[in-house]
Amino acid sequence: MIGGGVAGMSAACALAEAGLRVQLVERRVYLGGRASSYVHPGVNEVIDNCQHVLFGCCTNLVGFYKRIGVAERIHWTSEMTMIEPGGRRSRLGPSKLGSWGLPAPLHGLPKLLSAHAFSFADKFALARAFAALMRPVAADSCESLGAWLRRHGQTQGATERFWRLVIASALNADIDSIALPYAAKVIRELFMNSAFAGSMGMSTVPLSELYGGAAEFLRRRGSEVLLNTNIERAEWDEKTSQWTLATRNGPLVSDFLVIALPFEATRKLIPHMPAAEGADALAGKIERHEHWPICSVHLWFDREITELDHAVLLDREIHWMYNQSRLQAGRGGHYIELVVSATRAFAALPREEAIRQALTELAEFFPRVKEAKLEKVVLVKEVRATFGVPPGIDAARPTAVSPWPNCFLAGDWTATGWPSTMESAARSGHLAAEAVCLTEGATRTFLEADLKPEGLMRLV
Ligand SMILES: Cc1cc2nc3c(=O)[nH]c(=O)nc-3n(C[C@H](O)[C@H](O)[C@H](O)COP(=O)(O)OP(=O)(O)OC[C@H]3O[C@@H](n4cnc5c(N)ncnc54)[C@H](O)[C@@H]3O)c2cc1C
């Protein structure tokens, strides 16, 4: 198994559970890939590569957490606070009628209708768009979210404060670069199918501690985790039907190979794999993928600047606020993380300017920032954070089956139907593990079922 991200870990753990001996090989000195944490040398603090959130609908990621015994380390919440510059707040989330929840998709409607963040015209436009998205969207639709929003008369408020901020930032791309079926999927899962599907989960421990559970799980089953090991080349021996992987520390031999790498690392490996029919076509598909950036600003203050755990920040470059000292209780201090999604302009700013802008904007939402002393700060720019999902991208997402014998593909960018998320990575890992078992002659199901829509959504 090459790659110790969520895709590689979920595939490895599923296969180890099925009784196979797995070697999980990771180039870095820790597991987690893009979803990892490390000690930042500049501030001597453990930081996550960036806040990673999941949702109730992420059944494969949750299934993976359950398998490795860390599911209880996820804190779930169904409320989202939107804040306007100046501090006015609106809360989105499910409502109850007495002790009963409202049936989906109406559960979120009362709070949306009473949200100050949206004008009457915005709310009407959103309600119309939600109603239109209750009808199925053709999976092969070539329309972008932006074009669809214009066709459905979305107001500027609805576009900027909801579609761009909540939906486009969940998909981490500009609205004109998002295929409508992906946007429709996010809307249905997060806001329509059920209150639980849309609830947000956040780790209560740093990500590498969370994913440390995978290493323990594998070792207990006689499998191995090889860190600090870069795979440079792979050769297939027709006679022995085995793969030999070249590493700095000598060769590794295996019956099966799962390449669980991001698209660019998979592309880099192809010229160092055996010649195979279909390898060029795979390389061609990969060329069609594009990166989108995410930036995070990590701030340590001398005092608490807000009692909120997290919030969506409207009309500014900073989009999301996570109060890490409250979310990860073991940390202490007053640590706030700000996340800026899909903005190439912010990612291009020089460090000092980006930090100054983030702090100025933060004070518009939380006035206590003006009195607080900033003790430490870290800016992380992940230029290659996620892949985009523009119209037509599904044709460039390969299945687990690779051009090589006994070799399978995984990674968030492969054909899972999900955007670039930990859920997509976990799904791809489970699909690759199923493909390995099938080649061995065993039919195993690792893919977790989707949550069933509830309430009126069952009828749609
Ligand atoms: C800043 C940021 C914020 C994000 N926010 C969210 C979020 O809130 N929610 C969410 O669900 N997702 C989020 N994502 C996306 C999520 O992190 C990814 O979709 C997911 O982690 C991808 O997992 P993966 O296993 O497919 O790939 P990766 O995590 O990239 O794992 C691939 C692994 O392969 C290793 N590798 C590469 N080349 C080699 C080699 N030659 N030999 C050995 N090992 C190699 C890499 O070091 C890496 O560990 C975010 C990503 C970023 C960067």
Side-chain angles (χ1 to χ4, degrees):
M1 182 80 51
I2 318 177
V6 174
M9 288 187 290
S10 55
C13 292
L15 289 171
E17 190 180 87
L20 276 78
R21 217 188 118 248
V22 184
Q23 285 182 318
L24 176 61
V25 188
E26 166 55 44
R27 179 180 68 158
R28 291 193 183 137
V29 291
Y30 47 82
L31 291 179
R34 276 169 278 165
S36 53
S37 50
Y38 55 92
V39 179
H40 192 287
V43 290
N44 200 26
E45 295 272 359
V46 174
I47 63 165
D48 287 343
N49 188 31
C50 183
Q51 172 68 48
H52 274 62
V53 301
L54 62 143
F55 292 91
C57 53
C58 296
T59 51
N60 282 268
L61 188 61
V62 172
F64 167 54
Y65 290 162
K66 285 185 179 157
R67 175 167 289 130
I68 63 173
V70 301
E72 78 291 348
R73 292 181 162 194
I74 302 298
H75 165 73
W76 293 97
T77 171
S78 53
E79 284 239 324
M80 187 189 279
T81 307
M82 291 184 142
I83 313 183
E84 294 163 73
R88 191 166 67 159
R89 297 181 181 184
S90 307
R91 282 190 212 287
L92 297 186
S95 295
K96 289 196 163 184
L97 204 61
S99 56
W100 294 90
L102 284 175
L106 305 177
H107 57 282
L109 200 58
K111 287 192 180 152
L112 177 67
L113 291 179
S114 60
H116 302 296
F118 300 108
S119 69
F120 177 75
D122 298 338
K123 289 170 189 169
F124 187 63
L126 285 171
R128 274 196 310 138
F130 275 45
L133 286 173
M134 282 179 78
R135 289 192 295 275
V137 171
D140 59 354
S141 160
C142 285
E143 192 167 18
S144 72
L145 171 62
W148 188 90
L149 294 178
R150 287 187 284 278
R151 201 155 61 76
H152 285 76
Q154 293 299 288
T155 56
Q156 197 190 347
T159 305
E160 294 303 325
R161 292 185 162 187
F162 183 77
W163 297 105
R164 265 191 216 284
L165 191 51
V166 181
I167 302 307
S169 97
L171 288 157
N172 197 38
D174 185 72
I175 53 173
D176 289 317
S177 303
I178 294 172
L180 179 61
Y182 282 92
K185 183 178 187 61
V186 170
I187 283 287
R188 276 170 166 252
E189 293 290 357
L190 303 197
F191 293 94
M192 294 164 99
N193 276 353
S194 71
F196 180 70
S199 58
M200 190 160 108
M202 287 162 282
S203 176
T204 56
V205 294
L207 288 168
S208 291
E209 204 177 315
L210 185 75
Y211 291 123
E216 279 171 42
F217 181 91
L218 289 170
R219 289 184 187 124
R220 277 202 306 272
R221 281 158 186 80
S223 289
E224 270 179 284
V225 178
L226 305 175
L227 298 175
N228 201 11
T229 308
N230 188 49
I231 299 296
E232 292 153 6
R233 203 175 58 252
E235 277 161 19
W236 170 248
D237 187 332
E238 199 67 58
K239 285 196 207 106
T240 59
S241 286
Q242 282 189 314
W243 283 97
T244 302
L245 309 183
T247 79
R248 213 177 32 181
N249 307 322
L252 299 169
V253 178
S254 68
D255 297 334
F256 294 99
L257 178 61
V258 178
I259 302 175
L261 301 177
F263 68 85
E264 66 275 20
T266 308
R267 177 71 189 85
K268 240 169 93 184
L269 197 60
I270 292 177
H272 308 287
M273 298 281 293
E277 198 182 329
D280 285 347
L282 175 62
K285 285 183 176 182
I286 294 177
E287 300 295 341
R288 290 176 56 190
H289 284 274
E290 185 191 18
H291 288 112
W292 283 85
I294 299 182
C295 298
S296 54
V297 188
H298 305 249
L299 305 157
W300 286 263
F301 291 104
D302 67 342
R303 68 196 72 183
E304 189 169 82
I305 61 141
T306 173
E307 80 298 353
L308 290 174
D309 287 354
H310 58 91
V312 184
L313 310 175
L314 301 175
D315 305 339
R316 293 292 180 266
E317 279 291 290
I318 54 171
H319 297 149
W320 303 85
M321 182 284 296
Y322 297 96
N323 194 335
Q324 295 296 6
S325 293
R326 291 175 69 93
L327 293 167
Q328 299 185 355
R331 284 185 174 275
H334 303 289
Y335 169 24
I336 298 286
E337 180 179 343
L338 306 174
V339 177
V340 184
S341 306
T343 348
R344 291 185 165 133
F346 189 86
L349 288 179
R351 179 181 180 277
E352 295 308 323
E353 205 178 316
I355 292 170
R356 196 170 44 245
Q357 179 170 346
L359 271 171
T360 309
E361 291 185 2
L362 189 64
E364 293 184 72
F365 299 98
F366 306 107
R368 276 186 246 162
V369 170
K370 290 184 196 131
E371 283 94 54
K373 181 167 166 256
L374 181 65
E375 295 179 329
K376 316 184 221 192
V377 57
V378 168
L379 170 69
V380 180
K381 291 182 184 179
E382 272 284 344
V383 181
R384 297 174 164 193
T386 59
F387 64 90
V389 284
I393 195 64
D394 285 345
R397 298 183 75 180
T399 64
V401 178
S402 85
W404 301 279
N406 287 11
C407 173
F408 303 91
L409 299 175
D412 61 352
W413 64 282
T414 58
T416 63
W418 279 67
S420 184
T421 52
M422 297 183 289
E423 170 64 12
S424 182
R427 272 176 189 248
S428 76
H430 290 162
L431 288 167
E434 285 180 4
V436 170
C437 291
L438 200 61
T439 310
E440 269 236 304
T443 307
R444 294 284 307 233
T445 305
F446 297 117
L447 194 70
E448 304 281 346
D450 289 340
L451 290 184
K452 288 209 165 56
E454 292 178 1
L456 305 175
M457 288 304 285
R458 277 181 302 184
L459 311 175
V460 176

